[in-house]
Amino acid sequence: MYELEVVNPVSPQRGEVSAFPYAPRPSSLKDKVIGLMWNGKAHGDDALKRAGELIKEAEPSVDIRFYSGALPFPDPLRTKAISEIDVAIGCTAD
């Protein structure tokens, strides 16, 4: 059994604080489609691809899909991803 803690790396802007509730978590990744959402920041693709490899090793039945966009993610690409995946993993890097 694996446990993953997800945190929001975005700092509050100009003293503004807003909390987003966590998205529902699946009880298992078995047979799920996982979308790796890259915003184009340097080396974020490397981190996401490695995460995808590790997830695939742990649960071979997953289908990993990579989406390359920008920050914020363009609406058409986000809509496409939402229609195709069960779980999303996004990152920023530099």
Side-chain angles (χ1 to χ4, degrees):
M1 178 69 179
Y2 295 93
E3 184 173 319
L4 177 66
E5 181 180 351
V6 178
V7 296
N8 183 350
V10 179
S11 64
Q13 298 296 311
R14 298 176 188 86
E16 178 183 319
V17 177
S18 64
F20 296 96
Y22 289 130
R25 301 298 191 249
S27 59
S28 167
L29 294 179
K30 184 172 176 53
D31 299 320
K32 297 288 192 243
V33 179
I34 299 175
L36 306 178
M37 316 291 285
W38 180 43
N39 68 357
K41 297 288 275 180
H43 302 293
D45 56 336
D46 297 329
L48 284 171
K49 287 176 183 173
R50 183 63 180 139
E53 291 169 0
L54 293 171
I55 292 167
K56 188 76 171 171
E57 286 175 17
E59 181 50 71
S61 70
V62 298
D63 178 5
I64 305 287
R65 298 184 186 178
F66 189 83
Y67 299 87
S68 180
L71 186 61
F73 236 70
D75 286 335
L77 184 55
R78 185 173 42 249
T79 300
K80 177 181 181 352
I82 288 169
S83 73
E84 296 177 348
I85 65 176
D86 300 301
V87 176
I89 300 174
C91 79
T92 59
D94 266 336

